Amino acid sequence: EDKVVQSPLSLVVHEGDTVTLNCSYEVTNFRSLLWYKQEKKAPTFLFMLTSSGIEKKSGRLSSILDKKELFSILNITATQTGDSAVYLCAVFGNEKLTFGTGTRLTIIP
Amino acid sequence: NAGVTQTPKFQVLKTGQSMTLQCAQDMNHEYMSWYRQDPGMGLRLIHYSVGAGITDQGEVPNGYNVSRSTTEDFPLRLLSAAPSQTSVYFCASSYSFGGTEAFFGQGTRLTVV
């Protein structure tokens, strides 16, 4: 059975801190890994990763994939209150897009 | 470009009633899927389709039916609603399986009383 596990489940940090969110997976026929941000509505797309070791970057957010060790990390530097959200990791594999349970990130001003 | 359109946004059903959640996309996406989201559970896959005429079950298919008669539409039918089906439902689509991001509808909040 395909599995995507995210850690930690929740995280509370102060504004300006740097955070690292983790995603490990066990999925057959891996195609890609996706990161989404969700704030009380539909998830919004952040990154898609298909190759190991190539960092994707957008402003203060960055992500990298390790296909040998089957995990990905999402880094957020200089966090802001607007970064408070649930961050979802999902993997395309075996004809399915499987999601983890998410990491709830709370930024304290 | 409308993207992925889900209707209705909110719905209250009585136990035993049936209904259809509509999902339509105008991006010519081959892959479409339905998820339910419950507190602390992430998004769980109900059914998915890799193209018109092809559907398959996901992680939690019981109590739900789908069909994919056209590329654009992927309705989700609740056969006999139960309180355990109270949830937020999302439809998602992708141009190709694994090659592009998945786009989401705005969600349907369903309450079964």
Side-chain angles (χ1 to χ4, degrees), chain B residues 11-46:
Chain B
Q11 183 71 50
V12 178
L13 287 179
K14 293 183 179 178
T15 298
Q17 287 185 316
S18 63
M19 78 159 295
T20 299
L21 278 63
Q22 302 291 346
C23 177
Q25 52 88 12
D26 61 359
M27 298 174 283
N28 200 32
H29 286 178
E30 289 297 321
Y31 185 82
M32 296 185 74
S33 52
W34 276 102
Y35 296 87
R36 60 177 289 172
Q37 187 172 35
D38 303 296
M41 301 289 288
L43 280 87
R44 292 186 292 169
L45 182 63
I46 305 171

Side-chain angles (χ1 to χ4, degrees), chain B residues 87-101:
Chain B
S87 188
V88 179
Y89 292 83
F90 288 103
C91 176
S93 74
S94 175
Y95 181 71
S96 64
F97 179 72
T100 60
E101 68 181 273

Side-chain angles (χ1 to χ4, degrees), chain A residues 1 29 31-32 34 36 38 40-45 48 50 86 88 92-102, chain B residues 31 35 37 40-43 45 48 50 56-59 90 94 96-107:
Chain A
E1 183 179 324
N29 301 317
R31 297 289 294 273
S32 60
L34 309 176
Y36 285 85
Q38 187 176 29
K40 296 186 185 296
K41 50 187 179 180
T44 55
F45 174 74
M48 184 176 82
T50 57
V86 175
L88 297 166
F92 266 119
N94 203 23
E95 289 195 335
K96 301 172 191 172
L97 179 60
T98 301
F99 280 81
T101 54
Chain B
Y31 185 82
Y35 296 87
Q37 187 172 35
M41 301 289 288
L43 280 87
L45 182 63
Y48 64 98
V50 297
D56 208 341
Q57 296 181 350
E59 179 186 355
F90 288 103
S94 175
S96 64
F97 179 72
T100 60
E101 68 181 273
F103 293 79
F104 282 85
Q106 287 306 299

Side-chain angles (χ1 to χ4, degrees), chain A residues 3-4 6 21 40 42-43 56-57 59 72 80 82 88-89 95 97 101 105-106:
Chain A
K3 190 188 303 183
V4 178
Q6 292 186 247
L21 310 183
K40 296 186 185 296
K56 291 283 184 87
K57 196 170 173 66
S72 173
Q80 302 171 358
L88 297 166
C89 173
E95 289 195 335
L97 179 60
T101 54
L105 177 63
T106 303

